[in-house]
Amino acid sequence: MLSGKELEALLSVVNMAENPFDSCMNAFCKVFQKPEQFKVGCAMCYLLQDKFLSRTQRMIAFYVLYDMYRSENISTTPFAPFILDAIEHTNDPCERKFLLQLLSSGSKLSKQTASQFCASFDPQQVVDVPNMESLRRIHLEGFPKPSGFHSVGVHPVLIEEKLADADKNKDNSHQCTLPDLLAIENEISLLTFQPNFVRPVPPLFEQREDELFWLSPSILPEPMWDFSMCADTTVGSEVRDLIAKALKGQLTMAQQQAILDGLEQDPKLVYHCGLTPKKLPDLVENNPLVAIEVLLKLMSSSHITEYFSVLVNMEMSLHSMEVVNRLTTAVDLPTEFVHLYISNCISSCENIKDKYMQNRLVRLVCVFLQSLIRNKIINVHDLFLEVQAFCIEFSRIREAATLFRLLKTLESPQQ
C-alpha cells in the first residue's frame, strides 16, 4: 500500500509528540497531497488496529484521521466508524478521553501537543463509554454499503502474543521506528482473506427416450497459409532489409557486398532503400563503407544537401572522418561543406573534457587535415588562421606540431 519512503514520511509525522496537533496536520498535508491522503489514512488505521504505535503516536494518528475530513458531515467521513470502535474497545482511558474530546470539541485540541495531553491526564479518572448508536446510525445512512464478502474479509496481519500482552499491561513507552514499519511494509494492504462462494455442481438429469440428442459437430480444420506467397523476393527487398540491419549494427563483408551489388545493378534503388537524412548518422557509425557508396549514388539527388547537412553536424568520430575523406577524394564536395566540417571538428576537440579522448581526436583531426592539404582538396589559406590557432593550442601533441610545420611551409611561398 505504502512504499518505504512514504512509511518514513508518515513516521516522521506521528513522531511529532512535542508539536501541536495542528502543526502535525500541516506537516501531514505538506508531505501527502489530497489524492494520496485516503490511502495513507487506511495505512494508519492498520497501524492503529494492530497496535504498532505508542500512545502519543496513536493520538497524532487519530487526530490526522479526524482532521482529514473535519469539514465534511460525519455520514460521509470514511474513518468515523474506526474512531467509534476505538472509543468502545480501547483499554487506555487516556486515549478514550482524547477520542471523546476529539469528536465533541476537536478544535480545542489543535494547540495542544500529544505529550501535554498525556501529562495532564489523571490516571485515577474514570472515563465512561457513551452510547455510540446514534452516531453509527447517522454514518450508516449516508455511507455506501460494501458487498457481503468484502464486509466479512479477515485482515491478513496477526498480532503476536508479546504485543498483545504489552497492550494489556498498558506499556506505551515503545515508539514505532522505521525498521518496524519496513518489516510490515508488504503486510499493510487493503486486501483481505475472503470466504469462497460455494458453487455446487448442478445435478445431471437422466436422459429420456424421447429426448433429442445434441449434435456437437467437430471443429473444421484451419487452412494452412503459405506466407511466402506474393512476398517481395527481388533485389530491392534484400537491399532494404540489409540497410535496416546496417542502421542497428555492423554487417558482415558478405552483407555489405550484397548491398553494393544491388545498388550497382539498379542505381535508382538508392532512392527507395529506406535511408533518410535522419538515419544517416547510424549508418555512418555502424557501416561507413556502405554509407560512402550510398552517398556517392545520391550525389545527383536534389536532397543531397540535406544528407551533407546531417553529416556535417553529427558527432565527430573516426568513421565520420573516414566518410568525409573518401567523399572528398571521389567527388568535388561543396567548399562550404568541407570548411564547416573542419570547423566543427576543431570545435569538438576544444570542447571535450576528457584529456585522453581529446588527445585522440586531435591526432585524428590533424591527420585528416594533412590528408586534405596534401591532396589539395582544400585551400589552406581560407582556414589558415583557424587551423594555426588549433595547432598552437595543442602544440604538445606531435601530430599538431607536424601540421603546424606543414602550414609554415605553405605560408612561406605566399609571403
Side-chain angles (χ1 to χ4, degrees), residues 105-144:
S105 55
S107 58
K108 296 181 180 180
L109 291 171
S110 60
K111 300 304 178 182
Q112 278 189 278
T113 67
S115 299
Q116 290 174 350
F117 189 91
C118 294
S120 63
F121 177 72
D122 183 7
Q124 305 300 325
Q125 182 181 358
V126 178
V127 182
D128 297 327
V129 181
N131 187 4
M132 300 291 178
E133 291 303 322
S134 58
L135 292 176
R136 291 184 184 278
R137 195 179 304 110
I138 294 174
H139 180 267
L140 292 176
E141 287 177 357
F143 203 74

Side-chain angles (χ1 to χ4, degrees), residues 289-351:
L289 296 180
V290 176
I292 293 169
E293 295 300 325
V294 171
L295 289 174
L296 290 176
K297 298 292 183 183
L298 287 169
M299 288 302 297
S300 58
S301 170
S302 59
H303 301 289
I304 189 61
T305 54
E306 298 179 22
Y307 291 93
F308 283 161
S309 177
V310 172
L311 184 60
V312 165
N313 294 295
M314 70 176 287
E315 185 177 354
M316 189 192 72
S317 65
L318 175 61
H319 287 170
S320 67
M321 286 187 186
E322 181 183 358
V323 171
V324 174
N325 190 35
R326 290 282 297 276
L327 288 176
T328 55
T329 57
V331 294
D332 293 332
L333 294 181
T335 304
E336 62 274 10
F337 159 72
V338 180
H339 289 179
L340 181 58
Y341 183 76
I342 294 174
S343 298
N344 287 345
C345 289
I346 294 175
S347 177
S348 299
C349 292
E350 293 172 346
N351 296 331

Side-chain angles (χ1 to χ4, degrees), residues 14 18 20 23 68 109 123 127 136 148 181 189 191 231 250 265 267 297 313-314 349 354 360:
V14 299
E18 303 301 329
S23 298
M68 201 185 303
L109 291 171
V127 182
R136 291 184 184 278
L181 293 183
S189 173
L191 301 178
Q250 186 175 3
Q265 294 178 18
K297 298 292 183 183
N313 294 295
M314 70 176 287
C349 292
D354 189 345
R360 184 171 180 268

Side-chain angles (χ1 to χ4, degrees), residues 332-391:
D332 293 332
L333 294 181
T335 304
E336 62 274 10
F337 159 72
V338 180
H339 289 179
L340 181 58
Y341 183 76
I342 294 174
S343 298
N344 287 345
C345 289
I346 294 175
S347 177
S348 299
C349 292
E350 293 172 346
N351 296 331
I352 192 168
K353 303 299 181 183
D354 189 345
K355 288 295 182 184
Y356 172 77
M357 289 300 299
Q358 186 182 56
N359 294 342
R360 184 171 180 268
L361 292 179
V362 167
R363 292 189 181 95
L364 291 175
V365 172
C366 291
V367 173
F368 174 66
L369 289 174
Q370 291 180 49
S371 174
L372 294 180
I373 293 172
R374 289 195 172 96
N375 293 326
K376 298 182 180 181
I377 303 298
I378 60 172
N379 186 357
V380 72
H381 301 296
D382 296 338
L383 297 168
F384 186 83
L385 295 178
E386 185 176 5
V387 176
Q388 181 177 253
F390 171 74
C391 294

Side-chain angles (χ1 to χ4, degrees), residues 269-299:
L269 183 59
V270 72
Y271 302 107
H272 312 290
C273 65
L275 179 66
T276 61
K278 186 177 179 180
K279 298 177 182 179
L280 180 61
D282 294 332
L283 184 62
V284 170
E285 291 300 327
N286 292 314
N287 296 274
L289 296 180
V290 176
I292 293 169
E293 295 300 325
V294 171
L295 289 174
L296 290 176
K297 298 292 183 183
L298 287 169
M299 288 302 297

Side-chain angles (χ1 to χ4, degrees), residues 139-162:
H139 180 267
L140 292 176
E141 287 177 357
F143 203 74
K145 295 180 176 58
S147 62
F149 285 152
H150 284 84
S151 62
V152 296
V154 179
H155 184 49
V157 178
L158 300 178
I159 304 176
E160 296 184 12
E161 294 183 1
K162 60 180 181 181

Side-chain angles (χ1 to χ4, degrees), residues 150-294:
H150 284 84
S151 62
V152 296
V154 179
H155 184 49
V157 178
L158 300 178
I159 304 176
E160 296 184 12
E161 294 183 1
K162 60 180 181 181
L163 294 178
D165 294 339
D167 180 65
K168 291 179 181 177
N169 296 329
K170 302 178 183 178
D171 182 9
N172 294 303
S173 61
H174 173 68
Q175 292 282 334
C176 181
T177 61
L178 182 60
D180 297 333
L181 293 183
L182 293 179
I184 61 169
E185 177 183 356
N186 296 327
E187 298 175 358
I188 303 177
S189 173
L190 290 175
L191 301 178
T192 57
F193 295 118
Q194 301 174 11
N196 293 325
F197 181 72
V198 180
R199 300 175 178 86
V201 179
L204 297 177
F205 290 100
E206 295 183 1
Q207 185 177 351
R208 301 194 307 269
E209 294 182 357
D210 58 341
E211 186 177 354
L212 297 176
F213 286 95
W214 180 261
L215 300 178
S216 299
S218 60
I219 300 176
L220 296 176
E222 290 286 337
M224 295 184 65
W225 296 100
D226 183 4
F227 293 99
S228 62
M229 292 177 61
C230 302
D232 188 1
T233 58
T234 60
V235 176
S237 174
E238 182 183 3
V239 170
R240 281 190 291 271
D241 293 341
L242 290 176
I243 289 291
K245 292 181 180 179
L247 298 176
K248 300 177 182 178
Q250 186 175 3
L251 299 180
T252 63
M253 292 301 299
Q255 291 174 327
Q256 295 183 30
Q257 190 61 42
I259 294 178
L260 301 182
D261 293 342
L263 296 178
E264 191 66 29
Q265 294 178 18
D266 185 5
K268 294 184 179 180
L269 183 59
V270 72
Y271 302 107
H272 312 290
C273 65
L275 179 66
T276 61
K278 186 177 179 180
K279 298 177 182 179
L280 180 61
D282 294 332
L283 184 62
V284 170
E285 291 300 327
N286 292 314
N287 296 274
L289 296 180
V290 176
I292 293 169
E293 295 300 325
V294 171

